[in-house]
Amino acid sequence: MSPLEIAAVVASALGVWLTGRRIMLCWPIMLIASVLYGVVFWQARLYADTALQAVFATLSLYGWWRWLRGVEEKGAVTIMPLSNAALYYGLAASAAGGMALGLLLRATTDDPMPLLDALLSAYSILGQIWMARRYLANWWVWIVVDTLYTGLFLVRELYLTAALYAAFVVLAAAGLRQWRRAGTMADYRRD
């Protein structure tokens, strides 16, 4: 475990914790974490996850912008409903994109687990987009993805990162609970 990995872990955990509390500062913190983890994953030869960090950095800017548009008078971010069509489209598009990326990684890189790396990356993008759009369902995506990532990082001997992703599962469950509670008190509106 390197100092870079430690810094990435701290920034990532703080970003997720702030997101669960619907605090705007989560986005710049997540931007920093994405840059740090981009380097960590490149060094571990997890190329889809390296590219994913560039996508996350971009989506952090998008999320910041989206959340600025959805702030309640009290300062918390409003939670939005997810339609069934958006749910099914998001899940299917992520599966197709992950499979295509997995085939590309298998053919062009030395990634030891290209399909898993690619599918987790694709579903992580979905979770990040849904988080930026303030959909409660983002937390379900993160619970599943982070559970699988925990195993992947154990296999790749990124033990501190594996522990972080195990903690992410707990933070995602807490975020789900907090957003559900806030959602029952909020007046839902469509974007």
Side-chain angles (χ1 to χ4, degrees):
M1 120 185 53
S2 69
L4 182 64
E5 185 182 6
I6 293 168
V9 165
V10 170
S12 295
L14 179 59
V16 172
W17 183 81
L18 291 168
T19 302
R21 280 150 185 76
R22 298 181 297 140
I23 298 172
M24 193 76 62
L25 184 60
C26 68
W27 295 108
I29 299 295
M30 303 264 264
L31 179 63
I32 292 166
S34 296
V35 171
L36 296 173
Y37 259 120
V39 177
V40 170
F41 291 148
W42 177 263
Q43 292 172 347
R45 296 184 355 244
L46 292 170
Y47 304 116
D49 285 313
T50 301
L52 179 62
Q53 298 311 307
V55 172
F56 277 176
T58 303
L59 287 173
S60 291
L61 296 172
Y62 172 69
W64 201 348
W65 175 76
R66 291 284 299 202
W67 279 33
L68 282 171
R69 293 181 33 188
V71 175
E72 297 171 345
E73 204 171 288
K74 294 177 281 187
V77 175
T78 307
I79 300 162
M80 304 303 294
L82 175 65
S83 70
N84 285 337
L87 171 73
Y88 299 131
Y89 175 78
L91 294 175
S94 296
M99 295 294 285
L101 179 58
L103 293 172
L104 178 67
L105 287 174
R106 185 174 2 170
T108 62
T109 72
D110 60 348
D111 189 325
M113 292 181 227
L115 186 58
L116 181 60
D117 188 12
L119 283 168
L120 290 175
S121 294
Y123 280 103
S124 293
I125 292 169
L126 177 66
Q128 195 76 359
I129 290 170
W130 284 359
M131 183 185 300
R133 293 184 177 174
R134 306 181 315 269
Y135 297 147
L136 180 71
N138 89 82
W139 294 110
W140 289 111
V141 172
W142 288 121
I143 289 168
V144 171
V145 166
D146 291 341
T147 299
L148 295 171
Y149 263 131
T150 300
L152 174 65
F153 294 137
L154 284 171
V155 169
R156 298 301 301 143
E157 298 180 1
L158 294 170
Y159 300 117
L160 187 57
T161 300
L164 171 67
Y165 276 72
F168 279 170
V169 174
V170 173
L171 288 171
L176 175 64
R177 187 179 66 250
Q178 289 169 352
W179 280 36
R180 270 189 178 158
R181 191 173 343 144
T184 59
M185 297 181 293
D187 179 26
Y188 281 129
R189 300 168 303 180
R190 292 261 177 213
D191 272 337

